[in-house]
């Protein structure tokens, strides 16, 4: 058994800052599939820097010399039936009283453009993606490229600014008699506006033995599923081995700081 302090709460564990409600939707306008480059007039506008916020009824030319129109929709409990516009877009506008980094819990999209910046999606609707996103003070646009039959989205506060998301951890099966360390992996969340340097994951067995695995630089407002080493249990251990994992960083005085405290 492995225990870790979670930095990203379950989507249903706390009241959201905001969840998908009134929005604009656009049926599919591009050509996709297994090709080196896809053709998408919406993405073209974003890349060229000519994107302008649409209103209901605004039209856009498709790749087949046809037009599609934006229309208003309202999600229920943060979920939207997307079967009629799968492959298209959903534009969700969120007001924030201040600049802040929140966690986006969303599924059913290939990518989301947060104020024009592309961020990873969850096209297979697995529900594991908890992505830190930076909101500016005032109006923010989240533009989802829909990939599934349903789109759900909500923004929640992070339980901590930097830490581990044990909900999507990967642990190995320990074999009695093994003496070598094995590997696991756990998402590391950086819900701050600064890159994280010098961090490491410390995995500690119940008998006090531990291993520390250094991390690469973690960019601001990002999540990375990091590998870490797990010490082998004692040879006389029973059928259950108990571990804990924590995210640490060296302090200026040479001591270590638990990044999940506070």
């Amino acid at each position: 058994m492995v225990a870790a302090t979670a930095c990203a709460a379950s989507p249903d564990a706390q009241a959201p800052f905001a969840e998908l409600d009134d929005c604009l939707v656009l049926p599919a306008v591009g050509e996709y599939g297994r090709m080196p480059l896809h053709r998408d007039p919406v993405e073209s506008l974003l890349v060229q820097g000519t994107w302008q916020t649409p209103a209901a009824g605004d039209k856009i030319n498709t790749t087949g010399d046809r037009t599609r129109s934006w229309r208003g929709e309202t999600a229920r409990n943060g979920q939207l039936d997307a079967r009629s516009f799968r492959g298209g877009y959903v534009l969700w506008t969120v007001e924030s009283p201040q600049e802040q980094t929140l966690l986006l819990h969303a599924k059913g999209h290939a990518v989301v453009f947060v104020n024009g910046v592309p961020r990873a999606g969850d096209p297979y609707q697995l529900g594991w993606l908890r992505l830190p996103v930076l909101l500016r003070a005032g109006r923010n646009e989240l533009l989802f490229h829909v990939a599934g039959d349903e789109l759900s989205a909500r923004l929640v506060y992070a339980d901590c600014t930097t830490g581990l998301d044990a909900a999507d951890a990967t642990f190995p099966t320990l074999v009695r008699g093994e003496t070598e360390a094995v590997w696991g992996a756990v998402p590391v969340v950086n819900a701050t506006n600064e890159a994280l340097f010098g961090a490491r994951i410390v995995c500690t067995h119940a008998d006090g033995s531990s291993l520390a695995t250094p991390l690469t630089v973690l960019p601001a407002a990002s999540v990375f599923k990091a590998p870490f080493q797990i010490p082998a249990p004692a040879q006389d251990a029973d059928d259950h081995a108990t571990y804990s994992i924590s995210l640490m960083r060296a302090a200026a005085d040479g001591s270590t700081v638990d990044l999940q405290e506070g």
Side-chain angles (χ1 to χ4, degrees), residues 64-167:
D65 294 328
R66 294 176 295 176
T67 60
R68 292 284 188 268
S69 298
W70 290 92
R71 70 175 190 266
E73 292 281 354
T74 300
R76 294 184 178 181
N77 300 318
Q79 298 181 339
L80 191 65
D81 186 339
R83 286 173 294 181
S84 65
F85 51 88
R86 181 174 180 176
Y89 286 89
V90 170
L91 178 61
W92 179 31
T93 301
V94 177
E95 292 287 336
S96 176
Q98 61 192 13
E99 182 178 289
Q100 58 182 325
T101 300
L102 300 175
L103 294 178
L104 173 62
H105 296 218
K107 60 182 179 180
H109 60 301
V111 64
V112 56
F113 296 88
V114 181
N115 294 324
V117 178
R119 305 300 303 272
D122 180 8
Y124 300 111
Q125 299 178 266
L126 300 176
W128 50 262
L129 187 63
R130 299 168 176 86
L131 189 67
V133 295
L134 176 63
L135 298 189
R136 58 197 179 201
R139 185 172 175 275
N140 296 266
E141 290 186 353
L142 284 78
L143 180 64
F144 297 89
H145 188 188
V146 182
D149 290 338
E150 182 180 89
L151 176 72
S152 64
R154 63 183 59 193
L155 290 162
V156 302
Y157 296 101
D159 292 339
C160 55
T161 56
T162 308
L164 306 175
D165 182 3

Side-chain angles (χ1 to χ4, degrees), residues 9-252:
S10 166
D12 300 319
Q14 62 188 115
F17 168 80
E19 63 181 5
L20 183 63
D21 45 24
D22 293 336
C23 56
L24 292 177
V25 304
L26 178 72
V29 293
E31 294 180 1
Y32 312 103
R34 299 187 178 184
M35 57 185 66
L37 295 173
H38 62 252
R39 301 171 62 192
D40 186 318
V42 172
E43 188 172 311
S44 177
L45 293 173
L46 292 164
V47 171
Q48 295 179 66
T50 56
W51 163 264
Q52 293 183 346
T53 303
D58 286 354
K59 300 182 182 299
I60 188 168
N61 293 326
T62 73
T63 55
D65 294 328
R66 294 176 295 176
T67 60
R68 292 284 188 268
S69 298
W70 290 92
R71 70 175 190 266
E73 292 281 354
T74 300
R76 294 184 178 181
N77 300 318
Q79 298 181 339
L80 191 65
D81 186 339
R83 286 173 294 181
S84 65
F85 51 88
R86 181 174 180 176
Y89 286 89
V90 170
L91 178 61
W92 179 31
T93 301
V94 177
E95 292 287 336
S96 176
Q98 61 192 13
E99 182 178 289
Q100 58 182 325
T101 300
L102 300 175
L103 294 178
L104 173 62
H105 296 218
K107 60 182 179 180
H109 60 301
V111 64
V112 56
F113 296 88
V114 181
N115 294 324
V117 178
R119 305 300 303 272
D122 180 8
Y124 300 111
Q125 299 178 266
L126 300 176
W128 50 262
L129 187 63
R130 299 168 176 86
L131 189 67
V133 295
L134 176 63
L135 298 189
R136 58 197 179 201
R139 185 172 175 275
N140 296 266
E141 290 186 353
L142 284 78
L143 180 64
F144 297 89
H145 188 188
V146 182
D149 290 338
E150 182 180 89
L151 176 72
S152 64
R154 63 183 59 193
L155 290 162
V156 302
Y157 296 101
D159 292 339
C160 55
T161 56
T162 308
L164 306 175
D165 182 3
D168 187 35
T170 300
F171 301 121
T173 299
L174 300 178
V175 178
R176 186 187 298 275
E178 282 189 341
T179 58
E180 298 293 328
V182 293
W183 290 87
V186 63
V188 182
V189 178
N190 180 10
T192 73
N193 297 335
E194 298 181 357
L196 176 63
F197 296 88
R200 60 181 184 265
I201 297 176
V202 179
C203 181
T204 305
H205 187 267
D207 64 8
S209 61
S210 65
L211 284 174
T213 306
L215 300 181
T216 59
V217 176
L218 191 63
S222 67
V223 60
F224 169 64
K225 192 162 187 178
F228 66 94
Q229 285 191 297
I230 301 173
Q235 292 301 302
D236 58 352
D238 57 20
D239 291 338
H240 300 280
T242 301
Y243 296 85
S244 63
I245 54 176
S246 59
L247 184 64
M248 313 289 290
R249 183 172 62 182

